[in-house]
Amino acid sequence: MSTPLLEVRNLKTHFISRTSRVRAVDGVDFSVERGKVLGIVGESGSGKSMTSLSIMRLVPGPQGQIVDGEILLDGKNLLKLTEREMTNIRGNQIGMIFQEPMTALNPVLKIGEQIGEVLTRHRGMNKAEAKKHAVELLKNVGFPRAEQIVNEYPHQLSGGMRQRAMIAMAMACQPTLLIADEPTTALDVTIQAQVLDLMRELKNRTGTAIILITHDLGVIAEMADDMVVMYGGQVVESGSADSVFEEPLHPYTRALLESIPVIDEERERLTAIPGTVPSAANFPEGCRFADRCSLVESSCREKMPELRELRKGHSVRCTLAV
Amino acid sequence: MNKRTAMFSAAAVVTLSGLLAGLAGTGAFAATKPVAKHAAKHAAIPNGGTLVQTVPSSFGVNFIPLLDSSAYNQNVTGLMFDPILTINANNQLIGDIVQKWWFSKNLKTTYFKINPNAKWSNGIHVTSKDVELGVDWLASQSYNNKDNGAYNYIVSSIVGAQKPLPDGTTPSGFKIISPTEFSITQTTVDPTNLGSNLQFITPLPTFILGKIPMSKWSTSAFNKQPTIGDGPFTITQIVPNQSVTMKANPYYVFGKPHIAFNIWKVVSPDVVSGDLVSGQVSIAAVHATDFNKLKNAPGLATNVTPQNSYDFLGWRLNNAVYGKEFSNVKFRQAVEYALNRPALVQALDKGYATVVNGPFPSANSYADKALANSYKYNPTLANKLLNEAGFKIGKNGWRTTPGGRPFTPTLTYASGDSLLQTQAEFMKQFMNAVHINLKLNAPISFEQQLNELNNDTNGKQPIQGFLEAWNLGSGPQDPRGLWLSNATFNTTTQDWTQPVSVLKQNDKLLAEQASAAAYNPAYRQRVLNQWQQLWNTQLPTNNTISDDLLTVYSNKLHGVVFSPYGTLFIYKWYLTK
Amino acid sequence: MASYIVRRLLGLIPTLFVITVIVFLLMHAMPGNAFMALVYNPKVKDPAALIARLEAQNGLNQPLYIQYFDWLRNVFQGNLGMSQSLNEPVSQAIGQALPNTLLLAVTAEVIILLVSIPIGVLQANRANKGFDITTSFIAVLFYSIPGFVFALILLLFFSFKWNILPSTGTVTPGVSYSGSLGDHIIHLVLPAMALALPSLAYYTRLTRGNTLQVIVADFVRTAKAKGLRTPRILFRHVLRNAIIPLVTQFGFDIGGLFGGAIILEEIFTWPGMGELSINATLSHDYPLILGSTLVFAVTVLIGNLIADILLAVSDPRIRYD
């Protein structure tokens, strides 16, 4: 078995101020295989977005700091690189797209420039070449009028179009890894499907691995090869998407699966998980899900459960799971 | 320089004291350096160098002499065009373009002989024709009806020039005798006319301006930048609103000036002191505060010269509210005693000023020295005079009018000059100290003050007491324009209305000082002294102080002749390395 | 775009009309006119007649509304009249003064933008660090000192003490290099600096504030995720957004800068609109007052127009119609 494209080991990203320490990412391990899609799922505040920003080393400073761990891209530890070396990785070997394409795109620069500057930066193209190439990239993500679009501004595009443009931008240098942070959350349902189709198609065409971050298990089910469930800054369950969906081992994963609206049934049903994610500044001693867990036992609150591989390639952080 | 100052201020143009310092430019006053001293080391006088003089605000655009009313233009044209006669530091008429002059037996005609050295800057001799063109111009309809026309008075006493003449017509009183001799006949016998008016007749180059119709002069290229002159310097470059550069005229009547270039530069009064220190300006007049600071600055020399000008406190004697009170001579005498004028000298001018007791300041060569110590500060006497005149002190501590009405006269003064403001506040204090409830009006613009003075025949204008100043300039100091009982300026600005016998005496003395007998200087001075004494008892205005002109100049500049009538004889000045 | 500008320019006409009417009335409410001082001379034999002649020549004996409409008719024919104190056409006087004021104001504006924007952006990028704190302190210091004080300080050192820069005018008279480009530049340095410094501080603070708001935006994170280097992120992505409120302010300030130039022109004896209009007002020179007022009003209004156009140009989300 070849080495994974990306390996994240014991990643800890904390927000440290004079009075508090917020453990946003608190010892996360996972790996992404070449050409595969890893889904990271979790509620807001679970640390999944901060994990992705940590991989890019874009954790907002000065409070946000990666305090421990390793991020190995092709065996190279990104945390050991200088900032200047890191800028050569970003946009080049790792592309990233964000949740809200309206704010993620610069409102006063033309689409063509925003795509083209990645190419001038990493591929050494001049402006004219970059613009020409941007047209190609836009065509690749399904723009029929790509020649005009390069001269338009983000506000002139629809939400789906903007996200396509974002994808074109992130894919411009054919990165080996694409991080997609909630890429469809802000979009209409029909558009969501189109965008996901596009990502899948690009993955198949270019062999780019994808980290797909979402709170929508439906999206994971549709896209992911492997998945990681995050809660309270930790991985609570990981494994292949098939095995996790088939046999969710963690009570939280099960609760998440139950909360998916099932549209084809007669009545829509949404079981929200009672309670809220605990504050990352003040985690409880033992299992961080204990307060919301329907199966909680006193032992759960005493000691932090280990992540145990219960099935082949399928691990869970719960003492009760068997 | 004297010509410029003379032209402008012989006209006794009224001006704010602040403006005055500015307008005077480098025009400094009083001969403190005897010319003889320089003559002794004449052999060592170096030639060359550039002199930088200042004006506080922009030039006008017309450079034909007297076409522009801007005093700053006259700084320039005064150096480029010499008139027929000029004055020395003692205010005596001396030759310039004209070398000699003499009178006919009936004293109405004056004969002039042009200096054989008088040449234009291209070497051509100045002729009687050129003088004639200068006269024709001032008498012409174009000048009087289309252009400025303000200096027509220079020729209006010549027979035939009482009304504007068609362009190019010579008044019959002007006769060419030969290319170097001419005569001027006046309508009346008047010993003051030569020094007050005819002196300023300026020859104009017939070989240039003679070929241009007078109606086109103001738009001609020669007007925008004259190429030829008969003065010590000629213009080489004009930068609009900024500077005029002039070079020495090799054919100047008194010899080529020592200084090679003279630059007139517009310099804000705010920076003149600094420019003097840094050497960017060679000579400039400054205010007393700056003068004291610059006195010991390295590289600079200073000069203090009394000026022929004064500040005064006037009262509208025809005022509808208090004219009767102001017209009481005891009131004005009391005011004169109540004014602590030595204190004003210190407060306003740091001691660089003198008290004025008559119609002429003491620097004036015609001033009656006997008046020097009159009206010493004496509030007790002021109170006594006011009591005698019936201005009783009421219960509130303020005087009432002799008729028993409240007496709250106001003082009007022009805005824009902090010294004038200070002066007004002093006046209020002095009057309040003798129980006169003088109140200060808000300052108004100078133009507005003139408007109130000029349009006040019925005494209804708000102006009652007011602050103003006169600059009397050079020449024979003919007081008729200001002080004849029917003079325009007498009826509209100042007045001395009672008793009638005083007025008659006044007009009689003023007529005598301008009569045929007054061609005798001793006689004229005697009459003028009598008149000044009459004036001094009547005090038609309460004259206060006369500022000195404080000049600061580079210690490399030598030979400057300071006089109360301006700095003289620029062709004698020189610069050392 | 062109039609938008034409529409806006046409829209200025009523405003200008109202401004000139107000100025005209105020001007005539001041008693006395330009000829009062000219004839204040005891030697002038008949001052009243001379005043009457000069007033008649200049139409001042007509009813006010006729004087105004005469003026207006002439303005539409491109004739601003004759200055009564300068004896020259108003258009000529303004033609000489306006370029000097424009040169001064534009140079100051260029200095302001070239210096304050980079400093403001770098301050924001290093917010609350040494560079930001020191430059911000200097900026606040500069901002709290009025321009004329700067003018005097600059003059004191550069002109009076060290004598390396001239204190007055736009060219050196009487030298061989008079009027050369270098000559113009050395004259421009001090007044332009004095005019620029206070605004410079203000614009630095404004840039810093705007940049701080923009620097946390999502698209900045996107730009970083693209691997762009800091200068490109700051001066292309951030500044391009932060500059929008700045250019708007800038357009409005054109009129203000013009006004500030006037005070400094007095100090530096800079022969511009300031000197001209002050002298016009002091001498009650009606045609010159009206002419220079018109120029000022047009400048302010065009400044506002430029502000709008700059906003439209700098922010593609805004439309011209």
Side-chain angles (χ1 to χ4, degrees):
Chain A
M1 189 182 156
S2 60
T3 53
L5 172 66
L6 181 84
E7 253 192 291
V8 175
R9 291 182 190 156
N10 191 31
L11 178 68
K12 289 189 179 173
T13 302
H14 292 180
F15 284 76
I16 301 165
S17 71
R18 222 172 298 163
T19 53
S20 69
R21 172 183 282 258
V22 176
R23 290 173 284 177
V25 180
D26 201 19
V28 164
D29 301 82
F30 61 84
S31 57
V32 182
E33 303 295 331
R34 283 167 211 283
K36 301 285 186 189
V37 177
L38 172 73
I40 300 181
V41 72
E43 289 170 275
S44 324
S46 63
K48 57 189 194 305
S49 283
M50 211 42 72
T51 303
S52 65
L53 288 177
S54 298
I55 296 169
M56 293 296 272
R57 280 184 47 191
L58 289 177
V59 178
Q63 281 102 338
Q65 293 168 17
I66 299 171
V67 295
D68 199 5
E70 285 181 325
I71 299 169
L72 302 172
L73 183 71
D74 274 333
K76 187 165 55 180
N77 188 352
L78 298 183
L79 299 182
K80 290 271 192 288
L81 298 182
T82 63
E83 173 60 25
R84 198 171 173 80
E85 287 167 336
M86 193 61 211
T87 59
N88 290 330
I89 305 278
R90 291 185 201 127
N92 190 12
Q93 293 181 41
I94 310 177
M96 186 159 181
I97 58 178
F98 298 94
Q99 174 176 349
E100 176 50 79
M102 185 63 223
T103 59
L105 285 167
N106 194 323
V108 298
L109 299 183
K110 288 175 181 167
I111 299 290
E113 179 180 346
Q114 297 195 50
I115 297 174
E117 65 183 349
V118 190
L119 298 163
T120 51
R121 167 73 182 85
H122 295 296
R123 290 286 178 268
M125 292 185 187
N126 64 32
K127 279 190 180 170
E129 290 168 351
K131 188 171 172 186
K132 221 168 120 187
H133 200 80
V135 174
E136 291 306 311
L137 290 166
L138 285 172
K139 281 183 179 161
N140 286 344
V141 296
F143 277 95
R145 314 177 290 121
E147 286 84 356
Q148 286 100 18
I149 298 293
V150 287
N151 289 323
E152 287 182 4
Y153 291 94
H155 71 273
Q156 290 166 289
L157 305 183
S158 68
M161 288 292 171
R162 283 180 210 137
Q163 197 59 298
R164 280 173 192 265
M166 274 298 290
I167 293 170
M169 198 183 302
M171 297 295 290
C173 291
Q174 297 185 332
T176 49
L177 176 65
L178 175 70
I179 301 175
D181 187 355
E182 307 263 13
T184 56
T185 311
L187 303 178
D188 291 346
V189 179
T190 48
I191 309 294
Q192 280 184 11
Q194 288 174 14
V195 168
L196 291 175
D197 286 347
L198 172 65
M199 287 173 65
R200 190 163 38 225
E201 185 207 322
L202 285 174
K203 184 202 75 165
N204 292 340
R205 203 190 313 159
T206 62
T208 300
I210 297 175
I211 296 178
L212 183 62
I213 294 162
T214 180
H215 62 272
D216 186 343
L217 279 169
V219 171
I220 300 278
E222 195 174 325
M223 297 281 294
D225 300 304
D226 298 300
M227 69 183 283
V228 167
V229 181
M230 285 190 70
Y231 188 85
Q234 293 174 324
V235 175
V236 294
E237 184 161 2
S238 69
S240 73
D242 290 344
S243 79
V244 174
F245 276 106
E246 206 133 293
E247 190 188 6
L249 295 173
H250 199 283
Y252 176 62
T253 313
R254 284 204 291 274
L256 277 182
L257 284 169
E258 279 166 18
S259 71
I260 300 176
V262 184
I263 299 170
D264 50 308
E265 287 184 11
E266 265 197 16
R267 59 192 170 89
E268 287 186 23
R269 176 164 61 89
L270 185 78
T271 313
I273 307 170
T276 54
V277 182
S279 158
N282 198 13
F283 283 128
E285 272 287 297
C287 176
R288 290 178 181 170
F289 186 62
D291 283 348
R292 299 168 78 189
C293 184
S294 52
L295 309 171
V296 66
E297 293 177 1
S298 61
S299 62
C300 296
R301 298 188 193 275
E302 281 158 17
K303 191 165 158 279
M304 167 68 68
E306 294 294 314
L307 192 64
R308 295 176 296 141
E309 187 168 340
L310 280 188
R311 312 278 184 273
K312 182 175 167 38
H314 187 168
S315 307
V316 66
R317 192 186 291 274
C318 181
T319 47
L320 304 177
V322 286
Chain B
M1 283 269 289
N2 64 310
K3 288 168 293 294
R4 184 259 317 162
T5 313
M7 195 59 71
F8 177 60
S9 52
V13 170
V14 72
T15 166
L16 294 173
S17 54
L19 276 178
L20 183 66
L23 290 175
T26 61
F29 295 75
T32 51
K33 290 192 178 177
V35 179
K37 204 169 128 195
H38 296 287
K41 29 179 193 176
H42 186 76
I45 291 179
N47 290 324
T50 301
L51 185 74
V52 182
Q53 308 194 65
T54 69
V55 292
S57 166
S58 287
F59 297 94
V61 291
N62 302 302
F63 289 94
I64 287 177
L66 306 177
L67 182 53
D68 206 296
S69 58
S70 157
Y72 313 134
N73 275 51
Q74 288 164 22
N75 282 345
V76 177
T77 56
L79 286 191
M80 183 140 182
F81 298 95
D82 267 24
I84 56 173
L85 298 174
T86 187
I87 55 147
N88 64 15
N90 299 320
N91 200 18
Q92 292 161 326
L93 271 184
I94 56 171
D96 195 314
I97 295 300
V98 159
Q99 188 176 38
K100 284 185 276 187
W101 66 99
W102 58 95
F103 303 106
S104 65
K105 282 218 176 93
N106 69 3
L107 296 171
K108 281 194 175 175
T109 302
T110 315
Y111 298 91
F112 299 88
K113 174 147 182 22
I114 293 175
N115 191 318
N117 292 326
K119 288 176 185 170
W120 295 104
S121 51
N122 58 1
I124 296 177
H125 278 281
V126 178
T127 66
S128 301
K129 272 273 175 205
D130 297 330
V131 181
E132 183 188 61
L133 186 61
V135 172
D136 292 357
W137 162 237
L138 292 181
S140 71
Q141 285 175 349
S142 276
Y143 176 65
N144 287 284
N145 295 342
K146 181 171 83 62
D147 298 323
N148 180 352
Y151 300 97
N152 165 270
Y153 63 80
I154 292 172
V155 298
S156 64
S157 65
I158 299 175
V159 172
Q162 282 61 54
K163 289 217 171 93
L165 299 169
D167 291 0
T169 311
T170 305
S172 55
F174 185 92
K175 290 266 182 351
I176 292 181
I177 299 164
S178 77
T180 58
E181 284 181 310
F182 61 92
S183 69
I184 293 174
T185 306
Q186 301 166 222
T187 50
T188 55
V189 171
D190 185 345
T192 68
N193 195 32
L194 184 60
S196 292
N197 301 325
L198 300 181
Q199 175 202 338
F200 303 111
I201 290 172
T202 305
L204 296 172
T206 42
F207 53 90
I208 295 173
L209 287 175
K211 293 175 181 155
I212 305 171
M214 285 179 181
S215 60
K216 299 265 164 61
W217 281 19
S218 62
T219 54
S220 68
F222 189 84
N223 182 37
K224 298 307 159 196
Q225 180 167 339
T227 47
I228 299 288
D230 61 354
F233 286 90
T234 54
I235 297 174
T236 58
Q237 186 200 19
I238 297 175
V239 183
N241 305 322
Q242 291 192 45
S243 63
V244 177
T245 305
M246 311 182 83
K247 69 164 199 272
N249 171 10
Y251 294 102
Y252 185 52
V253 58
F254 299 119
K256 185 180 178 182
H258 298 299
I259 291 169
F261 292 97
N262 177 75
I263 295 173
W264 286 107
K265 203 166 156 190
V266 183
V267 178
S268 156
D270 302 326
V271 303
V272 163
S273 298
D275 280 356
L276 282 163
V277 171
S278 69
Q280 296 177 69
V281 164
S282 315
I283 179 169
V286 298
H287 181 256
T289 323
D290 294 333
F291 186 79
N292 280 340
K293 284 182 199 151
L294 294 173
K295 235 176 1 190
N296 300 316
L300 294 179
T302 55
N303 176 274
V304 179
T305 302
Q307 298 187 86
N308 192 19
S309 63
Y310 62 86
D311 297 350
F312 67 89
L313 165 61
W315 304 99
R316 298 294 304 146
L317 305 193
N318 66 340
N319 183 261
V321 187
Y322 294 125
K324 192 156 163 273
E325 285 72 20
F326 299 154
S327 298
N328 187 332
V329 68
K330 281 194 175 167
F331 167 76
R332 300 193 301 268
Q333 287 171 341
V335 167
E336 197 76 1
Y337 281 116
L339 300 179
N340 186 348
R341 293 178 293 165
L344 277 181
V345 168
Q346 290 306 323
L348 299 175
D349 295 292
K350 315 282 174 222
Y352 296 113
T354 45
V355 167
V356 179
N357 283 310
F360 299 142
S362 53
N364 189 305
S365 59
Y366 295 92
D368 182 357
K369 307 283 182 288
L371 304 180
N373 290 315
S374 53
Y375 296 104
K376 289 216 155 146
Y377 176 52
N378 190 340
T380 317
L381 190 52
N383 275 319
K384 183 168 165 275
L385 284 166
L386 288 169
N387 290 340
E388 283 170 16
F391 293 88
K392 293 201 182 72
I393 301 179
K395 283 192 192 121
N396 57 7
W398 297 118
R399 292 184 186 277
T400 59
T401 66
R405 286 184 299 138
F407 185 50
T408 55
T410 60
L411 184 68
T412 296
Y413 58 101
S415 55
D417 181 352
S418 63
L419 284 176
L420 214 48
Q421 172 86 37
T422 312
Q423 199 175 344
E425 280 155 11
F426 268 94
M427 295 302 167
K428 179 175 157 67
Q429 280 182 30
F430 294 150
M431 292 300 104
N432 290 356
V434 294
H435 307 280
I436 293 174
N437 191 6
L438 181 73
K439 293 188 166 156
L440 301 187
N441 281 336
I444 56 177
S445 79
F446 183 53
E447 306 286 331
Q448 184 174 349
Q449 184 169 334
L450 291 185
N451 188 60
E452 290 186 9
L453 291 171
N454 283 353
N455 298 296
D456 193 22
T457 41
N458 58 7
K460 293 281 171 64
Q461 291 280 7
I463 191 164
Q464 296 178 351
F466 59 97
L467 293 178
E468 233 175 59
W470 285 111
N471 185 348
L472 299 177
S474 68
Q477 307 296 318
D478 180 5
R480 285 177 297 176
L482 274 182
W483 299 112
L484 269 181
S485 62
N486 64 353
T488 313
F489 282 86
N490 208 343
T491 53
T492 57
T493 62
Q494 302 102 354
D495 208 355
W496 34 355
T497 54
Q498 57 175 355
V500 177
S501 62
V502 174
L503 283 184
K504 281 193 173 153
Q505 175 71 356
N506 172 66
D507 290 1
K508 182 170 153 278
L509 288 171
L510 288 181
E512 277 175 21
Q513 62 88 31
S515 66
Y519 275 82
N520 175 344
Y523 172 82
R524 179 157 188 264
Q525 184 64 54
R526 208 159 55 238
V527 178
L528 279 175
N529 283 357
Q530 282 179 38
W531 173 74
Q532 289 177 68
Q533 281 157 22
L534 175 70
W535 192 99
N536 178 261
T537 58
Q538 290 296 315
L539 296 175
T541 57
N542 288 113
N543 292 0
T544 54
I545 59 173
S546 168
D547 304 343
D548 294 339
L549 191 73
L550 306 173
T551 309
V552 178
Y553 58 102
S554 162
N555 63 7
K556 298 190 180 74
L557 175 61
H558 306 275
V560 182
V561 179
F562 296 94
S563 86
Y565 318 99
T567 47
L568 305 177
F569 311 131
I570 192 171
Y571 63 92
K572 293 180 180 173
W573 304 6
Y574 61 95
L575 288 160
T576 51
K577 296 269 183 256
Chain C
M1 183 80 177
S3 78
Y4 169 75
I5 293 174
V6 169
R7 263 201 325 272
R8 285 291 309 264
L9 284 174
L10 289 175
L12 299 184
I13 291 173
T15 321
L16 287 176
F17 179 77
V18 172
I19 289 173
T20 55
V21 168
I22 291 172
V23 171
F24 192 86
L25 291 176
L26 284 177
M27 191 172 82
H28 282 275
M30 305 189 295
N33 59 43
F35 310 115
M36 292 282 171
L38 186 63
V39 299
Y40 214 68
N41 179 343
K43 291 197 176 179
V44 173
K45 295 287 186 291
D46 192 349
L50 185 54
I51 285 193
R53 174 173 74 71
L54 289 169
E55 284 181 349
Q57 258 176 32
N58 289 278
L60 296 182
N61 51 354
Q62 303 276 355
L64 273 193
Y65 69 93
I66 291 185
Q67 289 188 42
Y68 179 76
F69 284 108
D70 278 350
W71 178 80
L72 205 60
R73 199 184 57 233
N74 283 325
V75 167
F76 278 116
Q77 292 164 359
N79 176 7
L80 290 170
M82 282 292 283
S83 156
Q84 293 158 2
S85 62
L86 301 176
N87 298 327
E88 66 178 307
V90 169
S91 53
Q92 187 182 324
I94 290 178
Q96 281 171 352
L98 186 60
N100 287 331
T101 299
L102 282 178
L103 178 68
L104 183 56
V106 168
T107 309
E109 283 168 2
V110 169
I111 294 176
I112 290 169
L113 294 186
L114 284 187
V115 176
S116 64
I117 290 180
I119 291 183
V121 170
L122 293 177
Q123 280 179 344
N125 191 41
R126 293 164 170 74
N128 300 322
K129 299 226 175 89
F131 174 80
D132 178 34
I133 291 168
T134 34
T135 50
S136 294
F137 176 76
I138 295 171
V140 171
L141 194 72
F142 278 12
Y143 184 50
S144 54
I145 299 176
F148 68 89
V149 175
F150 271 121
L152 295 176
I153 293 172
L154 290 173
L155 274 173
L156 178 66
F157 287 102
F158 289 95
S159 191
F160 300 161
K161 271 203 189 328
W162 303 327
N163 199 7
I164 48 178
L165 289 170
S167 62
T168 54
T170 65
V171 293
T172 317
V175 291
S176 57
Y177 57 86
S178 180
S180 66
L181 181 64
D183 194 28
H184 277 293
I185 290 173
I186 59 166
H187 281 82
L188 196 52
V189 173
L190 290 184
M193 289 285 286
L195 185 56
L197 279 175
S199 300
L200 199 114
Y202 175 67
Y203 276 88
T204 306
R205 294 300 287 170
L206 201 63
T207 310
R208 180 185 181 272
N210 290 336
T211 308
L212 276 179
Q213 284 179 10
V214 174
I215 213 161
V216 296
D218 282 357
F219 61 79
V220 175
R221 193 181 58 191
T222 307
K224 286 179 185 167
K226 291 197 285 190
L228 301 181
R229 299 233 207 264
T230 309
R232 166 107 192 153
I233 294 172
L234 282 181
F235 291 102
R236 185 74 189 152
H237 285 265
V238 174
L239 183 57
R240 191 62 185 71
N241 283 275
I243 210 170
I244 293 170
L246 214 67
V247 293
T248 316
Q249 181 67 34
F250 188 67
F252 288 124
D253 280 358
I254 289 176
L257 216 51
F258 221 69
I262 286 171
I263 297 165
L264 292 178
E265 280 176 10
E266 274 300 293
I267 296 175
F268 288 100
T269 330
W270 189 264
M273 292 301 295
E275 274 235 341
L276 193 70
S277 53
I278 287 174
N279 289 340
T281 312
L282 286 180
S283 57
H284 291 220
D285 186 338
Y286 297 147
L288 197 54
I289 293 174
L290 280 173
S292 45
T293 307
L294 197 63
V295 169
F296 280 119
V298 168
T299 313
V300 172
L301 294 176
I302 287 192
N304 291 357
L305 177 61
I306 289 176
D308 288 354
I309 292 172
L310 281 180
L311 183 63
V313 168
S314 63
D315 191 341
R317 290 164 290 192
I318 289 174
R319 297 188 185 172
Y320 302 123
D321 40 44

